[in-house]
Structures are given as C-alpha cells and as structure tokens.
C-alpha cells in the first residue's frame, strides 16, 4: 500500500480528480503519514533558512508545502462524510489528533512565526500586489490566533487542548451519524403511513430492506429536528413517534449519548479561548468573521427574534383553530396542519407538487439551466471518470468561452454510510500557483426511489439542490493565485451568501417553467400554482425563522460561557431549556432546528461553532443582492458576469466585506431580509 499509493503523486486523471478506482482503504494512513512527514520537512527547511525572510522563501514556500497531505485529506474527509465504514472511522479516530498536532507544530513554530512577523512589519515596503498583501495579512493573523505569541508552557497546554478537541469532535460526529441511523422509525403496516405518497412509501420499504429487515417500512431520520414525513402522515401516533425519535437522539440513556462529549467540548473550548486572550469561545471565533464581535451578532438577532416568535404564535393560533378542540397543538402536529392550511389558503399541496419535481429534470433543466443562462457554462456527464461511490456522478463543466472549467460531482441519495444534511466539498482547489482547476462535490440526502421509478423531490429538497450548487459555483468560478483563498475559503459568516443567492432561481419564472413538468404527463406546473407558490413565500416564516434562531441562540449560549460558567454546567438538557427561555425563543411547539445532542454543525467540528448565526448574517447580503438582481431584470448574462467576476471569482483573496462593497457599491441593508421573512410591514 506504500509503493503504489495513489496519493504520493498528483493524479493523472483530468483536473487531477482523485483516482478513486485505484484508492483502497489501506492507502489513506500511509499517505497521511508521508504527507505530514513531508510537510514537516518542508516547513523545517523554511524555518531554518539562514537568509532573511522574503515573500517567496517564506509565504509562497508555505503555500507550496504539504501537497501529499492536501490530496489525501481532501479525498479522505469527503469519503468519511459520504461513504464511511468502521475501518475508515478507525483511521479517522487515529488521524484527526495527529493532524491537530501537525497543525500546531507549524503554527506554534517560533522561528517560522518570526519570519512571518518580520515580513509583516515590513509590509508597506514590500510592494506586494493586493492578493499577496492579503496572504501576508492572513498568515500573520492566523499565527497570532493560533497562539504563536504564547509562552512555552502555554504552548504545551494549547497542544493538549487542540488534540483532545479534535478527537472529541470526531467522536461526536460518529455518534450523531450512528444515532441518526439507529433512530429510524419502523412500522409494520403500510396503513400507518397513510398520507405519504406512493413513492415515499416505496422508499420507506427500500429503507427497511437496506436495514436488513424482511418486512415493514423504515422512516429514516435526517439531521435536523423536523422530519419531512411529519407534513403528510395522517396517523398522529406515528407522527409523535417520529418526532420523539428525532428530538431524543443523543440524550442521556440513549445508546449514542453525546451529552458528556458536549460538556467536555464546551469546557475545553472555553479554556482555549481564555488561553488565547478571549473571554469565551464565541468572542474568539467571531473576531475573525465579518461580524467581528459577539455584540454585533446579538444586536442583529435581537432585531429578529421577537418578531419571529410573535409571528410563530399567530401561526400556532391558526393551526389550533384548524385542529379544533380535539387536542392541543404539539410539535409533531405543526407540519401536518401547516400543510392543511397551505392547501386551504393557497391551494398548494406538497404531495401534489412532487410529481413536477423529478430529480433529473430539476438538476439538468433547473439547476444547470439557470447556471447556463446566467453564467454561460454547460455540463457534460463523464461516466468514464471514477467517483468514490456508485451514486456519485461526475460532470465536466465548460466555461463561457467553451473551454474547460472544472468538475462537478453530484451525490444525491441518502444511505447508512453517509452523514446527515447537505454540504459541498472541494476535492481539488483552484489555484494559479499550481495550475489546478476546481473539482467540487455536492452531497444531499434524498430518499432513493425504488428501482425503475423516478426520484421525486419535495420543495425543500429542490431548494437544497439549488443552495448546494451555489457553493459549487463559488468553487468553480474561483480565480485566485494562492490555494488558501480558493472558492469557499472565506469567513464562515460569508460562505453561505452566494449559495443562498442561488436559491432565488428555483422559483424564477423562466427557470421553473423549464424544469417543473409532470414526470408522467409532461404537463407544465400550472401557472396558477406558480403564482400561489410565490404568494406563499412568507407563509410559515414565523416557524422557520424561530426554529433557526433558537438553534443559533443555543449555539451562542454554549459558546459564550466562560471557563467558570462552563465548569458549572452539568445537565445539558436543563442548560438548553434555560438558554432558550432567556433568549425568548422557548416556544413549546417550535423546537430548535437542532437540539444540543445532535447539533453536528457546532460540535462535530469547529467551523460553525459560535457561527450558526452565519446563515442569517449571510442572508442579509443575499436578500440585498436578490433585490438588485430583481431590479436589474434577473436572469441576464450581464448580471451573472458581474456577480461572478466581481464577487464569486475573488474567493477569500481580499476582505470579504470590502469585496461586497465593491460589488454592490455600498454596505448591505437589512430591510430586504426583514421584508422577505415578513418581519416588518412593508407598504
């Protein structure tokens, strides 16, 4: 597994696509070991140079280091998310702490930081171009934030904290994934699934067989609290079972209990933040985002939460009226009766919409079509190129001038080996330094239809497909020199902005008319339905905003704990309940989008910790941009080129808010977001 290891040299496939047909599980660990050893040697050579530091011999050399490690990391962590196994999980558990220690060895090297700091002190005299100057700025900031200025004793403790946190995050993610799989609700009688469409019932039957059951039906869980089947199931007892299974994941007494991990992670993050000079973890994380301060985030959330909760309570009154005196509204009733009101008020039935949203049509005639109209790109499937799973499909992307642009891999179906949710990964980052073009993956968790049947999507799944493709476009359109800045390598509270903009095209009349046709009859979605869909855009926004804000405020509650406060918390669920109450979002019939015990965004990695606010922070930019697109006529190449060249192509190669201001001509306004979510009355 060493002499012929595919990771030891750049892939010979188009766009340096990892040669998954030649990669075996046994290749990963040796590649990680060699990759870390090679980068340590490269960094040692930089740090020990007798010559004074220059931009090329220090920063460019750092960017050039670690090529084997980059290749194996990109492929491995994509596969462990998309198609894991016990063997891969074992490797992940071994490798993650090693990678943490490896990163610390680089970022806490005083000789290396000394060279960077010397360059930073001379920055005004170096005559660097804008991207190079930003590279120096970012490296200096990252070294300081990593603890380069701490004492040797503090370095020892910091390394211990980072290693343990990395291991805990991996363990949390594995427990959540295994718990989600174990919590699927199994019913024996198809009559208990009344209300689900025929294809959804067939998918539940397939799910049961995938679990090794000889009969019955399995309702698989997705990562968030709200489970899609709740909107359709007539049987209230089954709805309650499904909701209870969802919110009960990871709690004390569960086989996949994560609460102990949560407490340990929170305490260690608080300790690390203090060691690095911050009051708490949220202050540390947000300082390097576009928001800059916890106060700025809290100020924005304070504008939204009271109105969202008030709207949700009004919506609840409507639902209780629809229920009557039979019983009191519960969380497992919300989606079901919401759909009844939606049908009555707007004549929109989610089940009746699904036949118009067949996956292949949505992908080719919706997502790809909109991108072609707006940016002039086209897609060609490449079944000759290997992917990491049979479900994953490779498409070559051709640019507006007809030349090659990159590869897009779509992996759309749920399976037991895939983690929940939806996400995008870059397997190969674009970089002029290395002459590489982008290779990007989109992962979703759509239930597979039975063999020979079309896969029909819900409206939310259509939105997710457009959303994740927005991340793919951000990656594909990257035009940067240094790989550090490629595509979505931007601040966490900026990264969701382009993907949320891309959602606008799903209901844009020209795009919708092109893909929303009945999969059997070929009839287009009636224009009257389209009008009602658009009229219903603000429907149930009180619930949607409140469940999101509840998760966001829960994230901040955990991560604004000081060392002493974190040590005093012993009961995860009690803390969660008190935090929601204090924030004013403890609405009994609107549980948080994620409860603490399965909040993988913030506990199975650091990216979204104290950063779940990013979605709505980014939506301020998104709504402001969509207003501009609408005012300018929408799906026009001139607008696509302006958005692509003025913003998407920049990646993280400049201050993100400066990039936004240059593109938009001013700071973003919050009013378009408030209007979109129905949180203010607009004349």
């Amino acid at each position: 597994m060493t002499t012929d290891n595919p990771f030891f040299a750049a892939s010979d496939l188009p766009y340096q696509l990892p040669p998954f047909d030649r990669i075996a599980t046994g290749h990963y660990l040796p590649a990680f070991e060699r990759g870390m050893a090679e980068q340590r040697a490269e960094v040692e050579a930089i740090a020990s140079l007798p010559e004074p530091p220059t931009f090329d011999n220090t920063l460019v050399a750092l960017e050039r280091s670690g090529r084997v490690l980059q290749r194996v990391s990109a492929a491995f962590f994509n596969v462990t998310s998309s198609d894991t196994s016990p063997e891969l999980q074992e490797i992940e558990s071994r490798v993650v702490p090693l990678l943490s220690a490896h990163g610390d060895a680089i970022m806490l090297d005083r000789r290396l930081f000394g060279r960077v700091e010397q360059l930073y002190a001379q920055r005004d005299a170096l005559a660097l171009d804008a991207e190079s100057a930003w590279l120096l700025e970012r490296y200096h900031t990252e070294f300081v934030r990593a603890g380069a200025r701490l004492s040797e004793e503090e370095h020892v403790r910091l390394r211990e904290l980072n290693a343990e946190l990395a291991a805990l995050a991996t363990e949390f993610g594995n427990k959540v994934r295994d718990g989600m799989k174990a919590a699927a609700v199994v019913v024996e009688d198809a009559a208990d699934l009344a209300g689900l469409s025929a294809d959804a019932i067939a998918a539940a039957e397939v799910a049961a067989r995938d679990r090794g059951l000889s009969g019955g039906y399995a309702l698989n869980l997705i990562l968030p609290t709200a489970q899609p089947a709740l909107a359709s199931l007539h049987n209230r007892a089954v709805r309650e079972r499904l909701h209870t299974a969802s919110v009960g994941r990871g709690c004390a007494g569960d086989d996949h209990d994560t609460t102990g991990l949560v407490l340990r992670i929170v305490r260690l993050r608080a300790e690390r933040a203090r060691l690095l000079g911050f009051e708490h973890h949220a202050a540390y994380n947000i300082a390097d985002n576009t928001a800059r301060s916890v106060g700025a985030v809290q100020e924005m959330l304070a504008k939204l939460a009271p109105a969202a909760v008030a709207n949700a309570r009004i919506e609840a009154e409507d639902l209780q009226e629809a229920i009557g005196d039979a019983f009191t509204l519960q969380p497992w009733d919300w989606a079901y009766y919401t759909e009844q009101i939606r049908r009555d008020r707007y004549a929109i039935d989610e089940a009746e919409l699904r036949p118009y949203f067949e996956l292949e049509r949505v992908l080719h005639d919706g997502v790809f079509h909109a991108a072609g109209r707006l940016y002039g790109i086209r897609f060609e499937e490449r079944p000759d190129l290997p992917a990491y799973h049979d479900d994953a499909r490779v498409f070559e992307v051709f640019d507006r001038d007809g030349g090659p642009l990159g590869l897009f891999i779509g992996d759309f179906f749920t399976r037991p080996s895939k983690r929940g949710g939806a996400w995008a990964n870059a397997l190969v980052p674009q970089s002029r330094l290395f002459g590489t073009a982008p290779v990007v993956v989109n992962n979703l968790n759509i239930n597979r239809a039975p063999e020979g049947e079309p896969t029909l999507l819900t409206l939310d799944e259509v939105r997710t497909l457009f959303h994740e493709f927005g991340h793919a476009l951000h990656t594909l359109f990257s035009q940067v020199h240094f790989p550090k800045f490629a595509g979505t390598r931007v601040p966490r509270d900026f990264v969701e902005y382009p993907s949320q903009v891309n959602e606008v095209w799903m209901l844009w009349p020209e795009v919708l008319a092109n893909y929303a046709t009945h999969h059997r009859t070929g009839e287009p979605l009636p224009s009257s339905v389209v009008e009602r869909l658009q009229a219903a855009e603000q429907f149930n926004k009180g619930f949607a905003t409140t469940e999101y804000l509840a998760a966001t405020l829960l994230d901040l509650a955990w991560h604004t704990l000081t060392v002493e406060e974190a040590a005093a918390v012993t009961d995860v669920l009690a803390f969660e309940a008190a935090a929601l109450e204090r924030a004013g979002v403890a609405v009994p019939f609107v549980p948080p989008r994620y409860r603490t015990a399965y909040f993988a965004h913030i506990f199975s990695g650091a990216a979204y910790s104290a950063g779940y606010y990013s979605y709505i922070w980014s939506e301020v930019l998104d709504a402001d941009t969509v207003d501009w697109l609408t005012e300018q006529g929408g799906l026009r190449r001139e607008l696509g080129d302006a958005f692509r060249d003025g913003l998407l192509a920049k990646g993280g190669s400049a201050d993100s808010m400066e990039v936004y201001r240059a593109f938009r001509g001013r700071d973003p306004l919050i009013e378009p977001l408030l209007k979109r979510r129905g949180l203010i009355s607009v004349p």
Side-chain angles (χ1 to χ4, degrees):
M1 290 297 178
T2 55
T3 56
D4 62 346
N5 195 304
F7 294 112
F8 289 172
S11 170
D12 58 0
L13 293 176
Y15 304 93
Q16 296 187 24
L17 173 71
F20 288 110
D21 55 340
R22 305 198 298 271
I23 295 172
T25 299
H27 287 131
Y28 288 114
L29 189 56
F32 273 115
E33 291 170 343
R34 177 181 284 196
M36 286 185 279
E38 283 189 3
Q39 191 171 34
R40 282 196 300 271
E42 292 163 341
V43 169
E44 175 62 28
I46 300 167
S48 60
L49 272 175
E51 295 85 8
T54 66
F55 184 79
D56 286 337
N57 73 17
T58 301
L59 295 184
V60 175
L62 279 173
E63 283 292 278
R64 288 187 178 279
S65 70
R67 300 299 291 153
V68 171
L69 187 58
Q70 188 279 323
R71 286 194 289 269
V72 66
S73 296
F76 178 77
F77 288 109
N78 179 76
V79 171
T80 56
S81 296
S82 306
D83 187 29
T84 195
S85 66
E87 295 78 16
L88 289 172
Q89 289 182 11
E90 172 62 26
I91 294 170
E92 186 176 19
S93 296
R94 293 178 61 184
V95 161
V96 166
L98 295 176
L99 289 173
S100 174
H102 175 72
D104 284 344
I106 296 172
M107 301 306 288
L108 301 181
D109 188 313
R110 295 190 187 282
R111 300 165 303 159
L112 189 59
F113 177 58
R115 295 179 71 85
V116 173
E117 193 153 43
Q118 190 174 336
L119 287 170
Y120 189 71
Q122 303 167 354
R123 61 191 181 279
D124 293 337
L126 295 179
L128 299 174
D129 64 76
E131 185 176 339
S132 297
W134 188 243
L135 185 74
L136 174 56
E137 181 75 31
R138 289 308 305 160
Y139 263 111
H140 184 263
T141 297
E142 289 169 10
F143 269 97
V144 172
R145 285 177 55 79
R149 288 177 172 163
L150 299 180
S151 68
E152 287 300 330
E153 183 180 354
E154 290 168 327
H155 276 185
V156 171
R157 181 55 182 153
L158 183 60
R159 292 171 193 265
E160 292 171 350
L161 290 169
N162 287 340
E164 187 175 355
L165 280 167
L168 291 170
T170 299
E171 187 179 354
F172 184 93
N174 288 337
K175 279 182 175 289
V176 168
R177 177 169 44 215
D178 294 344
M180 185 173 68
K181 177 182 175 183
V185 171
V186 177
V187 300
E188 298 300 325
D189 190 344
D192 289 333
L193 300 181
L196 295 184
S197 63
D199 66 291
I201 293 172
E205 188 172 17
V206 170
R209 302 303 164 268
D210 288 344
R211 296 174 65 84
L213 301 177
S214 59
Y217 305 82
L219 297 174
N220 287 328
L221 299 190
I222 60 172
L223 189 56
T225 297
Q227 302 301 314
L230 291 174
S232 305
L233 284 165
H234 295 330
N235 188 318
R236 189 167 187 251
V238 175
R239 294 204 307 270
E240 182 177 3
R241 283 181 60 200
L242 187 58
H243 174 79
T244 302
S246 182
V247 297
R249 289 174 282 172
C251 296
D254 181 59
D255 289 342
H256 306 282
D257 182 0
T258 62
T259 56
L261 294 173
V262 166
L263 293 176
R264 185 65 177 160
I265 290 169
V266 168
R267 291 166 185 167
L268 294 182
R269 284 176 175 171
E271 182 185 349
R272 183 176 61 182
R274 176 173 289 181
L275 188 62
L276 293 168
F278 292 84
E279 182 183 5
H280 41 59
H281 181 72
Y284 170 75
N285 252 20
I286 294 173
D288 202 38
N289 280 343
T290 66
R292 302 299 185 205
S293 72
V294 175
V297 175
Q298 291 173 330
E299 181 182 355
M300 182 193 68
L301 297 178
K303 295 177 181 177
L304 303 176
V309 170
N311 285 6
R313 292 191 183 281
I314 292 170
E315 291 165 1
E317 291 172 4
D318 288 347
L319 297 178
Q320 190 63 62
E321 185 177 336
I323 292 169
D325 298 328
F327 51 83
T328 301
L329 174 69
Q330 298 294 336
W332 51 87
D333 301 313
W334 188 288
Y336 183 77
Y337 285 95
T338 291
E339 284 310 305
Q340 286 194 9
I341 292 175
R342 194 196 310 267
R343 284 194 295 269
D344 293 344
R345 190 172 298 172
Y346 300 102
I348 293 172
D349 185 339
E350 283 274 5
E352 292 177 4
L353 286 176
R354 292 180 70 242
Y356 293 91
F357 298 147
E358 190 268 323
L359 173 60
E360 291 303 302
R361 287 298 304 266
V362 176
L363 179 66
H364 288 276
D365 299 334
V367 174
F368 289 172
H369 171 73
R373 287 284 302 273
L374 196 61
Y375 304 111
I377 59 177
R378 66 180 181 87
F379 303 82
E380 181 179 310
E381 191 155 6
R382 292 290 304 271
D384 57 309
L385 295 179
Y388 54 86
H389 191 277
D390 288 345
D391 287 346
R393 300 159 59 189
V394 183
F395 297 85
E396 187 168 10
V397 188
F398 295 92
D399 209 345
R400 52 193 169 192
D401 63 359
L405 181 62
L407 294 179
F408 168 73
I409 301 174
D411 185 358
F412 305 119
F413 296 119
T414 190
R415 50 182 174 267
S417 60
K418 183 188 283 192
R419 70 173 171 88
W423 67 94
N425 282 337
L427 291 177
V428 181
Q430 177 273 328
S431 164
R432 288 197 290 266
L433 181 67
F434 294 114
T436 52
V439 178
V440 62
V441 182
N442 274 180
N443 264 283
L444 277 72
N445 269 280
I446 298 167
N447 283 318
R448 182 193 306 278
E451 188 69 32
E453 293 294 318
T455 297
L456 307 180
L457 308 183
T458 66
L459 193 62
D460 278 346
E461 287 169 338
V462 174
R463 180 174 287 105
T464 301
L465 197 61
F466 275 87
H467 176 96
E468 294 305 328
F469 195 72
H471 289 306
L473 291 173
H474 201 177
T475 302
L476 288 165
F477 290 155
S478 177
Q479 285 295 314
V480 300
H481 189 76
F482 299 109
K484 178 181 283 292
F485 300 139
T488 57
R489 295 176 178 181
V490 297
R492 181 56 53 187
D493 56 6
F494 193 83
V495 73
E496 299 296 339
Y497 156 48
S499 56
Q500 289 173 178
V501 168
N502 204 59
E503 292 178 29
V504 71
W505 308 119
M506 67 172 284
L507 290 181
W508 201 263
E510 302 155 70
V511 179
L512 190 65
N514 202 59
Y515 74 83
T517 58
H518 197 285
H519 72 99
R520 294 196 189 281
T521 68
E523 291 295 313
L525 187 66
S527 58
S528 58
V529 177
V530 177
E531 291 168 4
R532 293 195 296 271
L533 277 174
Q534 292 166 339
E537 274 289 274
Q538 289 186 355
F539 178 69
N540 206 42
K541 283 294 188 185
F543 174 92
T545 308
T546 300
E547 67 151 6
Y548 165 77
L549 291 176
T552 298
L553 290 160
L554 185 58
D555 171 28
L556 288 177
W558 281 115
H559 290 117
T560 51
L561 293 175
T562 64
V563 170
E564 294 77 16
E565 290 167 342
V569 179
T570 57
D571 187 325
V572 167
L573 297 187
F575 176 86
E576 177 182 290
L580 296 174
E581 189 69 40
R582 282 196 310 274
V585 289
V587 184
F589 34 75
V590 186
R593 182 176 294 177
Y594 298 98
R595 295 190 67 192
T596 301
Y598 50 90
F599 206 161
H601 275 74
I602 66 172
F603 290 122
S604 67
Y608 279 96
S609 59
Y612 197 65
Y613 76 90
S614 300
Y615 289 93
I616 205 151
W617 187 271
S618 294
E619 195 179 345
V620 174
L621 310 179
D622 149 37
D624 196 41
T625 300
V626 168
D627 263 18
W628 171 77
L629 286 167
T630 304
E631 291 164 4
Q632 300 298 318
L635 204 69
R636 295 171 48 211
R637 272 295 305 280
E638 308 94 279
L639 302 183
D641 288 344
F643 189 51
R644 171 182 176 170
D645 298 333
L647 196 137
L648 299 178
K650 306 291 186 184
S653 63
D655 179 274
S656 292
M657 289 309 298
E658 290 300 322
V659 171
Y660 181 85
R661 291 183 191 102
F663 160 69
R664 192 69 174 91
R666 57 164 172 76
D667 284 330
L669 304 176
I670 195 173
E671 285 74 17
L673 168 67
L674 298 175
K675 177 182 176 182
R676 172 190 286 184
R677 287 185 172 258
L679 300 181
I680 58 172
S681 58
V682 179

